[in-house]
Amino acid sequence: MARPDGKLSFETFPGEKSPQDECGVFGVWAPGEDVAKLAYYGLYALQHRGQESAGIATSTGSRINVYKDMGLVSQVFDESTLNTLTGHIAVGHCRYSTTGGSNWANAQPTLGATPHGTVALAHNGNLTNSAELYDSLIDKSGFPSRGEMAMGNTTDTALVTSLLAEHPHGSLEEAAMALLPQLVGSFCLTFMDEHTLYAARDPQGIRPLVLGRLERGWVVASETAALDIVGASFVREVEPGEFLAIDEDGLRSQRFAETRRAACVFEYVYLARPDTSIHGRSVYESRVEMGRQLAREHAVEADLVMPTPESGTPAAIGYAEASGIPFGNGLVKNAYVGRTFIQPSDTIRQLGIRLKLNPLQSVVAGKRLVVVDDSIVRGNTQRALVRMLREAGAAEIHVRISSPPIKWPCFYGIDFASRAELIANGLAVEDIRESLGADSLGYISQEGMVEATEQEPHELCTACFSGRYPTELPAAEDLGKSVVAARRKPPVPASDAQLAEQPNQ
């Protein structure tokens, strides 16, 4: 039975598909440390990045063991399981599926047998040339007869693992340096063989990846918050286009591509933990500044600024600070917000959002409210919130959004709704306001959002807002969650093929 812990983001309205997180990766090389428990706590800190499955692989120097399953980190692992994962190297992963379905076969880390040992690999991001890579694998070795792809894994992670396993090079390090320049899209990889921990980040640096130092080792992780929880000191970001190897000889760095930085701006808006820093900028401070900028761009006379818990809170604090309107919590969130396996009755289902959020009537009744949220996807959540606050007696409801209208899909690891389902794709702002039932609606400008991150505009990916993608995209049929699954059909046996070609008698 699922336990309602570990999730920092959640579905506030039944059937509403909010921006889904991608994945979290963690790697540690630390002789003499309990690396499995370090990986466990590192993944616990990254749980917001993926809640579908979790896994940890460890190496003793001669053997790699892996344990993975569906569920949250705290559901997959217990003390006895972690005690079986011995060694001095560990790679961990928590997953939200962006290529390949959500099932056990697609859980990570993936395993592959190479000419020089075993590789265990974890991936955050999404490759956009998976179809091309799959075809090259088939041309090289035919339909996979071993490894995770042969057993039904349909992820781009398993594809990378298979390509590494098929390499003709003298070492896994050489194989990685040959393969990495061929990967297109977003990827932060942490992987290992029996002796060495490796990490790599795509040339655009779309997803975050950081390097930390332990007293007796090294850590790589998706976010700095994961370094904090295991007591590692932040050293630096893994640079875009950089490949790291860590073993008993120390840390080695190589470049496999020139840097063309295009970091995901939505990490600052929503995806990353607020206590994380990305490229030298506090995510929390970025979100507060987005709220300040939102107040400057869309001022309104009101009595109270309130957030949509939890992701709207920093921006609401900034809006209140810049506008001089008092900040308050007008909504109470149910602390036990994990997925439920008990279907609500029709009566309960009609209450919708009240399963997760309930208004403080004494706070909102008779007030002119500014309700701050981080984004609007379909609009179902905001529409239900507006209706609920009106029922609680709010005099006016002014919705403010700390990101611009989302109009384009993401192909780099965020699972938005399809473009046809994005409310801002087909409606003007005034039409969206009318659809929500709000008295006014204001989105932050793209320029204001970018300025709040303190990053150079040309070094950020804003594709979901602007439609300008930082890498070349293939044809539509070669994109999507099922691109590998659609291609991985075993060849028809020759006898059957010959029979199929014979005319009917």
Side-chain angles (χ1 to χ4, degrees), residues 134-146 162-163 166:
Y134 186 86
D135 292 343
S136 70
L137 178 64
I138 298 301
D139 291 342
K140 182 185 297 184
S141 57
F143 184 80
S145 59
R146 58 191 179 116
S162 294
L163 289 165
E166 296 289 339

Side-chain angles (χ1 to χ4, degrees), residues 250-334:
L251 182 146
R252 302 183 299 280
S253 171
Q254 301 180 69
R255 289 279 182 174
F256 63 87
E258 292 297 319
T259 298
R260 302 186 302 278
R261 187 179 289 275
C264 173
V265 73
F266 213 72
E267 294 278 358
Y268 293 94
V269 172
Y270 171 80
L271 293 178
R273 280 175 53 142
D275 53 341
T276 280
S277 293
I278 302 176
H279 205 217
R281 174 62 166 165
S282 161
V283 170
Y284 177 81
E285 290 299 329
S286 295
R287 292 174 186 169
V288 172
E289 181 57 32
M290 288 174 195
R292 296 189 190 109
Q293 182 63 24
L294 192 53
R296 290 189 284 266
E297 293 182 8
H298 296 284
V300 66
E301 290 187 6
D303 304 307
L304 185 75
V305 177
M306 55 173 283
T308 301
E310 297 286 340
S311 57
T313 301
I317 291 171
Y319 193 103
E321 179 186 309
S323 66
I325 302 169
F327 172 90
N329 287 309
L331 293 164
V332 174
K333 186 182 78 171
N334 186 339

